[in-house]
Amino acid sequence: MTEYILAKHISKYLDKEVTLKGWVYNIRKSGKIWFLIFRDGTEFIQCVVLKNDVSEEIFELKNTLTQESSLAITGIVQEAPRQEAGYELLVKNIEVIHVAEEYPIALKDHGVDFLMDNRHLWLRSRLPYAIMKIRAEVEKACRDFFDERDFTLVDSPMFTPNAAEGSTTLFETKYFDRKAYLTQSGQLYSEAAIMALNRTYCFGPCFRAEKSKTRRHLTEFWMIEPEMAFFDIFDDMDLAEEFVEYLVQRALKNCRRELEILDRDITKLEAIQRPFPRITYDEALELLTKKGFDIKFGDDLGAPHETAIAEEYNKPVMIWRWPTESKAFYMKRDPEDEKYVLGVDMIAPEGHGEIIGGSQREEDINVLLERIEKEDLPKEDFEWFLDIRRYGSVPHSGFGLGLERTVGWICGTHHVRECIPWPRTMGRLKP
Ligand code: 4AD
Ligand code: MG
């Protein structure tokens, strides 16, 4: 029996006979030879079928095999420098496992809605395949980065009684005879966890009832949130910068092939090296005013503002020291001026928007209480959170990185919905 291998390992089998198992991606025919572009979920490989090399029956499969039919193919591995994979298979035998019905996704352009309705099939195509591979690598890199730096993973709950990031985007759900919300962020729990474990991170899905139909918003997205005791806003920004550099460099190192499939401009990613530019919110306003935007102190920055600022740099830019009223209740006030909080947003280059939101946290119980009251938040639900400030309160900081926006930037995709296997947006709950 010939050895069954995954196509990604083909280079180790030069001149050897191997068996690949997978699906028909495309077929090109010409007289005495036909080419089968074959995929097994680890690589796309050209298989060459020569009339003189195979039985009549196998040669004639060119007329009956349909796109996405499943096969086991046996052949000899050859070098093929002009093929993307660098190798091809000279076919000796084909065993048909299943002949596919007419496949709805032909290898031509379809509308995005059609493709999203068929997401379960669309995932098999080259671009989604490459994006899922990169997403998996970035997820792993997220964990590796913090695991290698004395952080402990502490997962936060999905059902919560509190709003962490504003009550307007809460998903409410029945919880027996009570109400619960789906989590918007694990941060509040992480703040408690670091008092036990010093440096922690949580990584999981977050839910926000975003009514905005933009290319940056999902209702279910993944966020990795590190939280650190004894870190101030500058330590926080240093870590965020090191983290983002690490993610991009890891994708460059381990996902070259996938970035090629996506036709991504690698030089843009290679430029992502520390230090990243840092500007204050006030400086951002100045820049925007110069660029002709009508914006005043206190306004939050929207997508067009972020894109205009990002245009100025070839690296992510950190905007910090925000107006108090524009940011969440837990951010620490700037001791030099109460008008500001020590928050930071990191904006990705090339129009991919905010990938990180973070801050130093308010550690003074009285200031925090004042903020909770001012924002009309239910104090009783935050008692446990206030306890963090009652028993050995310490300066601390953290941030959250949105996985899909980061992957979208690394991949150069147009919309974040392409960066999650099963996107959920205001208009989409299926499949
Ligand atoms: O800026 P945000 O709201 O910050 C927090 O949730 C903090 N509690 C994080 C922390 O300090 N631990 O969200 C953080 C990031 C954003 O920068 C963005 O990348 C992503 O999460 N994000 C979304 N991504 C996709 N769709 C949405 N609706 C998103 N909302 C936020
Ligand atoms: Mg934010």
Side-chain angles (χ1 to χ4, degrees):
M1 265 281 286
T2 318
E3 190 180 351
Y4 159 49
I5 65 161
L6 292 175
K8 67 185 280 198
H9 298 308
I10 198 163
S11 67
K12 295 181 212 147
Y13 292 85
L14 184 60
D15 297 329
K16 300 228 163 62
E17 189 175 279
V18 297
T19 298
L20 302 176
K21 297 182 184 181
W23 298 265
V24 175
Y25 197 62
N26 198 8
I27 288 177
R28 283 188 292 119
K29 309 177 219 181
S30 75
K32 294 193 161 130
I33 185 167
W34 56 282
F35 301 95
L36 172 69
I37 311 301
F38 182 78
R39 59 168 198 90
D40 75 345
T42 72
E43 184 50 282
F44 292 79
I45 294 285
Q46 169 164 286
C47 303
V48 185
V49 190
L50 289 168
K51 195 169 170 61
N52 294 335
D53 266 11
V54 294
S55 69
E56 179 73 18
E57 189 195 342
I58 285 174
F59 193 73
E60 287 312 310
L61 284 175
K62 67 183 182 181
N63 298 319
T64 49
L65 279 183
T66 49
Q67 190 186 345
E68 290 305 317
S69 291
S70 44
L71 312 171
I73 306 188
T74 301
I76 310 287
V77 177
Q78 312 190 119
E79 251 171 332
R82 285 167 57 204
Q83 290 299 314
E84 279 182 37
Y87 295 84
E88 63 185 13
L89 200 72
L90 185 61
V91 176
K92 298 291 166 200
N93 192 29
I94 297 177
E95 187 196 318
V96 178
I97 300 170
H98 178 245
V99 177
E101 292 177 28
E102 195 182 336
Y103 192 61
I105 303 183
L107 297 173
K108 59 165 179 121
D109 286 342
H110 291 282
V112 174
D113 277 337
F114 174 81
L115 290 172
M116 277 299 174
D117 285 342
N118 288 285
R119 183 64 168 169
H120 54 296
L121 301 176
W122 187 30
L123 280 176
R124 303 181 187 195
S125 301
R126 276 164 65 87
L127 302 188
Y129 158 85
I131 295 168
M132 288 308 114
K133 287 276 190 191
I134 293 170
R135 177 185 165 105
E137 176 63 21
V138 173
E139 271 197 61
K140 187 163 185 317
C142 283
R143 295 187 189 283
D144 289 345
F145 181 85
F146 291 109
D147 290 345
E148 285 161 12
R149 282 169 182 72
D150 301 312
F151 283 69
T152 304
L153 172 67
V154 179
D155 294 315
S156 53
M158 299 291 109
F159 286 127
T160 68
N162 323 70
E165 295 295 328
S167 50
T168 53
T169 61
L170 277 177
F171 275 114
E172 192 180 302
T173 175
K174 239 176 73 178
Y175 194 76
F176 305 105
D177 52 358
R178 277 172 293 170
K179 270 197 305 206
Y181 305 104
L182 298 183
T183 185
Q184 297 168 305
S185 153
Q187 178 196 321
L188 306 189
Y189 295 95
S190 293
E191 285 190 52
I194 57 165
M195 304 299 156
L197 295 147
N198 199 305
R199 292 176 194 179
T200 68
Y201 68 97
C202 59
F203 195 7
C206 296
F207 306 89
R208 296 193 193 178
E210 304 277 6
K211 299 227 171 65
S212 42
K213 292 183 187 156
T214 77
R215 61 196 189 88
R216 296 170 180 176
H217 287 94
L218 296 163
T219 51
E220 179 178 319
F221 63 98
W222 280 60
M223 180 155 50
I224 179 152
E225 296 180 88
E227 191 73 25
M228 297 75 64
F230 309 105
F231 266 47
D232 66 14
I233 183 69
F234 300 104
D235 302 323
D236 203 33
M237 290 196 281
D238 289 347
L239 186 72
E241 168 178 88
E242 190 188 348
F243 179 47
V244 169
E245 177 191 79
Y246 179 89
L247 296 183
V248 173
Q249 297 307 322
R250 269 279 293 261
L252 278 171
K253 180 159 162 260
N254 295 340
C255 299
R256 278 282 158 154
R257 180 80 181 92
E258 289 78 13
L259 291 167
E260 265 167 37
I261 291 177
L262 296 171
D263 223 357
R264 181 70 168 109
D265 183 348
I266 302 281
T267 57
K268 291 227 163 73
L269 297 177
E270 282 168 344
I272 308 307
Q273 310 231 5
R274 283 175 290 166
F276 297 170
R278 298 176 185 190
I279 60 173
T280 61
Y281 171 87
D282 286 344
E283 285 163 346
L285 277 199
E286 218 172 283
L287 177 66
L288 289 169
T289 310
K290 242 187 249 158
K291 289 189 142 209
F293 284 93
D294 179 22
I295 185 164
K296 59 175 192 318
F297 184 85
D299 292 348
D300 202 1
L301 304 188
H305 305 121
E306 288 173 1
T307 302
I309 294 168
E311 267 169 21
E312 300 291 305
Y313 308 94
N314 58 1
K315 295 181 194 184
V317 51
M318 287 190 273
I319 306 173
W320 70 287
R321 201 165 185 254
W322 287 77
T324 306
E325 64 266 34
S326 70
K327 289 291 183 195
F329 75 97
Y330 53 70
M331 292 195 186
K332 184 177 170 62
R333 280 195 200 162
D334 188 333
E336 280 162 29
D337 189 342
E338 288 202 346
K339 278 208 318 278
Y340 297 95
V341 285
L342 300 176
V344 58
D345 282 2
M346 189 189 288
I347 314 296
E350 302 173 72
H352 290 275
E354 183 199 314
I355 50 170
I356 282 183
S359 71
Q360 187 167 341
R361 320 304 192 190
E362 184 54 71
E363 81 259 27
D364 181 318
I365 192 165
N366 294 319
V367 181
L368 196 57
L369 268 170
E370 202 184 295
R371 295 288 300 277
I372 287 175
E373 266 156 37
K374 191 146 177 233
E375 306 226 347
D376 222 8
L377 295 166
K379 183 170 164 258
E380 43 317 332
D381 288 339
F382 286 94
E383 279 303 330
W384 69 271
F385 186 64
L386 292 166
D387 271 354
I388 302 167
R389 280 79 183 164
R390 287 191 181 106
Y391 307 107
S393 190
V394 298
H396 61 287
S397 300
F399 62 84
L401 172 127
L403 181 65
E404 289 75 17
R405 288 192 195 172
T406 305
V407 171
W409 162 47
I410 291 173
C411 293
T413 58
H414 173 70
H415 196 301
V416 284
R417 68 186 161 207
E418 291 178 51
C419 302
I420 185 162
W422 311 104
R424 299 288 175 251
T425 57
M426 196 179 162
R428 177 162 302 281
L429 189 59
K430 277 199 230 168

